[in-house]
Amino acid sequence: VIKREISRGSPTFQWVEGLFENTFLKRYTRDRKGEKVPEGLKVEEVDQVFNCGSWGEYAMRRKQVHAEMASAGAAWAGELRTDSCTKGEAAEWFRTDEYPGVNEHWLYHGTSLEGEAGITEGDFRLNLAGSNAGTLYGNGVYLAEAVSKSDEYTCPHGANGIRTILLCLSCLGRVNYNDEKRPDGDALASSCKKEGGFHSILGDREKIRGTYREIVVFDEDLIYPGYICRYTRVT
C-alpha cells in the first residue's frame, strides 16, 4: 500500500477543498451527541491511496455489478452532492467506458486514526459496521454525500485537532431508495444480499427529517478508499 501526498496547489487538492465547501450543511443530528455543528471544515492534507489488492477487488466487483444490472434493470439513479466539481479537477482515473451505468460516486466515510489505517491498508470490516453510527438501515458501511454528516463520526488526533474523512469511490449499482420514517433495517439489508436484487440503500432522512441522505453498502468490495482527507473544524 502506497499513500502519496497531494500538493496543496494541485487540481486534485482544490477539487477536494471544493467538495468540502460545497457539501457542508449546517444541520444538527443526534449523532453529534450534543456537540455544536462547526461553521465549516478546513482541508489540511490529502493523501491518495494506492492499494492494489483493494482496487483489484473493487474493479472485479464493478464488472459483476454491471452484468447484474443488465439483467435486473436499473432502480434509483440520481445526482448526489459529491458529483459536482466546483474547484480544481475531479479525479477521473477510475473511469472506464466498459462498465457504464454502475452508479459510481465519490462518497465520504468519517473514521478515527485507527480506522484510517485499517481501512486504507486493509479493507472495510462489516463486523464493525455501525459501531460508531448506529444501524438504522442495517449492518453495512455507512457513507454520506454531505461532508458534515461524516464529520459526526470522526474524532480528533493530536494537539492540533486533525480529523480524518475518507473519500471513497463507491459502486452503488441498483439502489434501494427508502423514505420511511421507521425503516426495517433487516429487510433492507436482505434486499442487498445475493437474491435481493439490490446493491445498496439510499435512506432519505433529508426528505423525512430535514437532515441528510445516507448511503449504505453491504459488500466491502463495492467501496475503494481513494483519498485520505485530514482536516480541522472551523468554529
Side-chain angles (χ1 to χ4, degrees):
V1 178
I2 298 171
K3 301 174 186 179
R4 180 171 62 85
E5 185 176 353
I6 303 295
S7 63
R8 293 190 69 89
S10 71
T12 300
F13 192 97
Q14 293 169 2
W15 165 61
V16 174
E17 273 191 325
L19 284 178
F20 268 54
E21 293 165 4
N22 198 44
T23 66
F24 181 88
L25 306 174
K26 204 170 191 320
R27 298 173 180 174
Y28 179 83
T29 82
R30 62 185 180 184
D31 286 341
R32 284 205 177 269
K33 300 175 181 176
E35 287 188 334
K36 288 185 178 180
V37 182
E39 294 300 315
L41 307 176
K42 183 177 184 293
V43 180
E44 305 287 354
E45 302 171 1
V46 179
D47 288 353
Q48 185 172 357
V49 179
F50 297 87
N51 185 326
C52 293
S54 291
W55 174 253
E57 291 166 351
Y58 176 87
M60 184 179 298
R61 189 70 185 96
R62 177 173 63 177
K63 180 179 179 180
Q64 294 169 346
V65 167
H66 181 256
E68 290 163 7
M69 290 185 72
S71 60
W76 180 92
E79 289 190 359
L80 297 176
R81 284 186 166 84
T82 44
D83 295 342
S84 298
C85 176
T86 58
K87 291 170 64 174
E89 295 177 11
E92 298 284 347
W93 49 262
F94 65 94
R95 294 199 183 279
T96 174
D97 295 333
E98 196 174 354
Y99 310 119
V102 292
N103 237 338
E104 277 185 298
H105 302 269
W106 287 103
L107 295 169
Y108 305 109
H109 182 79
T111 188
S112 62
L113 184 64
E114 295 77 17
E116 171 194 317
I119 293 168
T120 58
E121 296 171 17
D123 210 339
F124 285 90
R125 293 173 58 187
L126 282 176
N127 63 315
L128 297 177
S131 58
N132 200 33
T135 54
L136 182 66
Y137 295 104
N139 195 42
V141 178
Y142 283 67
L143 303 162
E145 62 169 345
V147 71
S148 43
K149 179 59 179 171
S150 290
D151 173 63
E152 296 177 348
Y153 311 116
T154 64
C155 55
H157 41 88
N160 53 7
I162 292 284
R163 296 168 181 266
T164 297
I165 283 177
L166 302 177
L167 188 55
C168 304
L169 184 60
S170 310
C171 180
L172 303 184
R174 294 192 77 238
V175 178
N176 190 349
Y177 176 86
N178 183 278
D179 61 358
E180 298 171 322
K181 287 186 177 180
R182 294 177 178 82
D184 184 335
D186 291 338
L188 288 168
S190 295
S191 77
C192 293
K193 292 180 179 177
K194 192 169 184 179
E195 304 301 324
F198 293 96
H199 300 102
S200 61
I201 305 294
L202 192 153
D204 198 343
R205 309 304 286 177
E206 184 174 47
K207 176 181 175 181
I208 306 163
R209 304 290 188 193
T211 55
Y212 296 100
R213 295 194 296 184
E214 297 185 65
I215 297 91
V216 190
V217 174
F218 300 86
D219 181 345
E220 303 99 320
D221 293 342
L222 291 174
I223 315 166
Y224 178 74
Y227 296 92
I228 300 167
C229 308
R230 301 186 186 94
Y231 69 97
T232 51
R233 288 177 173 174
V234 179
T235 57

